[in-house]
Amino acid sequence: VKYDTRDEVFVAGARAWLEEIHESDITSFSWVLAHSPGYYPSTLRDLWLEELQRRTLAATHEPVGPVAAASLPVGHPLDYDWRFTEGARSTLLACLDQTTIAGEAIAYLGTPTLFAQAVSSVGDRRHVLVDANGPMVEALQAGIGANRAIQLRLGVEPPPPALAVDAAVLDPPWYPGDTLDFMEAASAMVRPGGVVLLSQPTLATRPGVQAERADLVATSGQLGFKLERTLGSGLRYVTPHFERMSLTAEEPGFPVSDDWRTGDLLVFRRTSSEARTLPRRTRADSESWREVSFGPVRMKLRGAGAGDLLKVDEGLDRLVTVSRRDPARDRVGFWTSGNRVRTLQSVEAVGSLVAMCENDLVHMTFTHSRTRLQAAQFGLDHRVADDLFEILLLEYQEHVAGGYGDLA
Ligand SMILES: C[S@@+](CC[C@H](N)C(=O)[O-])C[C@H]1O[C@@H](n2cnc3c(N)ncnc32)[C@H](O)[C@@H]1O
């Protein structure tokens, strides 16, 4: 389901953008995706095909690009884990270099990869990360060996007390409520005169961004921040494994480039000296999930939908969008880092069974018959054991193929 194509004005904007592209470039989908201001690839692809038809042009045949390897834990859709490209990290580090001086402190809210690079390459500033992603924070703590990475869910838990910084970089999930949670936390930390660098969706990301942006700037004013400048499409993201899997599930062989997603960089200055808060808001996505893993594969579990490991909707193996507005999400209780989704009721039993399977994987004894035997110990029937075995095997292979198989 493509929610953005239901908005006629948004679609007209995308068509107008495509119409402007020169004939020598329009036949290459890679070119169009690489220069797009952020349209979702499968939406862009449909409109691009229409545009080729209108101009009676044929598409250029292109090879699919290589996938990115990663040494950090694979991203999970529930963490909205879109990581910066090297270029985006350089842009942000250059901004921090201009706006802070030696000895000053910088907070990284939801920006773990930037934090990791800053810690290793900008030794004369102090750096602190606040992020909700447990496995990511643990991996960074293990690498850095200090408590400068704090695991905390902003908007649900209060920001760390007495954390005063001179600048902050924020990359919240791209929804207005989450962005305000992050801005409110920054308001409690950043000193007057300090800078906040915030990543936000471009106007092409989805319909309604323009109105959201106006609200954000107004509410940030109430929090004591003044927007100084906006760098349109100033940041780029590496296509995460879950998004690649969604796009190729929708259309096998879909030519997903490594860095099609782009974001606007907003630069705010703290103008007020008092910490300010906003009226309490209801949170859209505050359910608690338990996390388990199988080698590089991450799975989030909660009780939702009817039965164990059943399809959430007829024929639906993976979510084909990563949108929070997808109504199927309410019935998801088992969600992999490959964006495969199922219902789940026996959270404890399935969680324990996955832990046993992971132990078997490490000891090279992971087999179908052992999974069935162990399932019986937890009161789970053969069908659940069979389905889990198949999912774990498939996911493992897909993660390894995507460059996430390093268990060392
Ligand atoms: C869009 S990703 C940004 C990652 C960043 N681009 C990078 O490369 O470092 C969002 C990040 O915010 C974190 N996050 C999401 N919701 C959060 C919350 N409520 N509090 C703290 N961190 C959160 C996620 O774990 C994830 O690391």
Side-chain angles (χ1 to χ4, degrees):
V1 186
K2 296 199 184 82
Y3 298 94
D4 48 0
T5 52
R6 288 187 191 162
D7 189 307
E8 285 171 18
V9 178
F10 184 76
V11 170
R15 286 204 175 107
W17 179 76
L18 284 163
E19 279 170 22
E20 292 291 308
I21 298 174
H22 193 266
E23 195 164 316
S24 56
D25 298 319
I26 190 79
T27 56
S28 157
F29 185 64
S30 301
W31 189 97
V32 171
L33 190 59
H35 292 80
S36 151
Y39 294 111
Y40 193 64
S42 53
T43 299
L44 186 63
R45 166 93 147 183
D46 292 348
L47 296 173
W48 168 74
L49 285 171
E50 275 178 26
E51 179 62 13
L52 287 190
Q53 214 169 13
R54 191 183 70 80
R55 297 199 209 179
T56 57
L57 291 171
T60 322
H61 178 73
E62 284 153 320
V64 178
V67 292
S71 56
L72 292 170
V74 66
H76 193 286
L78 267 171
D79 295 321
Y80 304 91
D81 194 346
W82 277 272
R83 298 180 188 166
F84 296 126
T85 58
E86 211 180 314
R89 292 198 301 269
S90 301
T91 301
L92 290 165
L93 289 180
C95 276
L96 290 171
D97 189 51
Q98 284 161 14
T99 50
T100 59
I101 56 169
E104 288 194 329
I106 302 165
Y108 299 82
L109 310 188
T111 51
T113 70
L114 183 69
F115 165 76
Q117 176 156 358
V119 166
S120 62
S121 62
V122 191
D124 63 356
R125 314 284 202 274
R126 290 170 292 130
H127 311 280
V128 58
L129 170 75
V130 176
D131 198 289
N133 180 349
M136 173 65 96
V137 169
E138 276 165 34
L140 290 172
Q141 281 171 342
I144 293 160
N147 59 358
R148 285 174 292 168
I150 302 169
Q151 193 217 335
L152 191 144
R153 187 163 291 280
L154 297 168
V156 176
E157 300 162 79
L163 184 59
V165 296
D166 303 284
V169 192
L170 283 50
D171 193 359
W174 283 353
Y175 294 95
D178 301 68
T179 301
L180 291 186
D181 289 340
F182 276 53
M183 288 299 282
E184 201 170 19
S187 155
M189 296 174 192
V190 179
R191 65 157 168 84
V195 153
V196 164
L197 308 178
L198 171 70
S199 173
Q200 283 292 281
T202 61
L203 297 192
T205 304
R206 57 170 181 255
V209 168
Q210 201 157 13
E212 286 171 16
R213 183 72 59 85
D215 285 349
L216 167 67
V217 173
T219 314
S220 300
Q222 292 168 31
L223 284 169
F225 292 110
K226 185 173 184 305
L227 180 64
E228 280 197 339
R229 64 192 170 98
T230 301
L231 199 60
S233 288
L235 301 171
R236 268 194 186 269
Y237 291 86
V238 178
T239 303
H241 178 70
F242 59 83
E243 187 167 71
R244 182 177 293 280
M245 298 319 286
S246 287
L247 285 163
T248 48
E250 206 178 354
E251 187 188 322
F254 191 98
V256 196
S257 59
D258 272 346
D259 64 351
W260 69 270
R261 186 179 284 271
T262 155
D264 288 348
L265 172 59
L266 276 59
V267 182
F268 288 93
R269 179 83 56 183
R270 184 79 201 272
T271 50
S272 104
S273 55
E274 44 185 299
R276 300 195 183 160
T277 53
L278 297 171
R280 285 223 61 75
R281 302 173 296 285
T282 45
R283 291 188 56 82
D285 202 19
S286 60
E287 330 92 349
S288 60
W289 294 77
R290 168 179 172 183
E291 177 151 350
V292 287
S293 61
F294 180 75
V297 185
R298 295 173 58 198
M299 282 149 281
K300 304 240 189 193
L301 315 180
R302 66 167 182 183
D308 285 326
L309 302 184
L310 299 172
K311 296 267 169 72
V312 165
D313 276 335
E314 184 72 24
L316 182 72
D317 181 38
R318 285 181 217 273
L319 290 182
V320 288
T321 73
V322 283
S323 169
R324 204 182 263 179
R325 292 171 292 167
D326 191 335
R329 284 176 77 124
D330 290 345
R331 297 185 291 284
V332 176
F334 176 96
W335 196 337
T336 72
S337 41
N339 224 1
R340 220 172 230 111
V341 289
R342 295 290 187 274
T343 65
L344 193 67
Q345 280 304 316
S346 313
V347 177
E348 276 304 310
V350 170
S352 304
L353 181 57
V354 174
M356 282 203 150
C357 290
E358 163 137 75
N359 190 48
D360 282 352
L361 178 72
V362 171
H363 295 99
M364 289 187 279
T365 51
F366 175 61
T367 62
H368 186 200
S369 53
R370 269 181 72 81
T371 307
R372 274 191 162 200
L373 264 175
Q374 284 162 345
Q377 288 175 27
F378 294 112
L380 297 167
D381 63 30
H382 279 179
R383 202 267 313 153
V384 176
D386 294 352
D387 288 351
L388 182 69
F389 181 78
E390 191 189 345
I391 292 172
L392 293 180
L393 206 57
L394 265 175
E395 286 276 342
Y396 184 82
Q397 288 164 352
E398 288 164 358
H399 279 69
V400 170
Y404 293 95
D406 187 1
L407 290 170

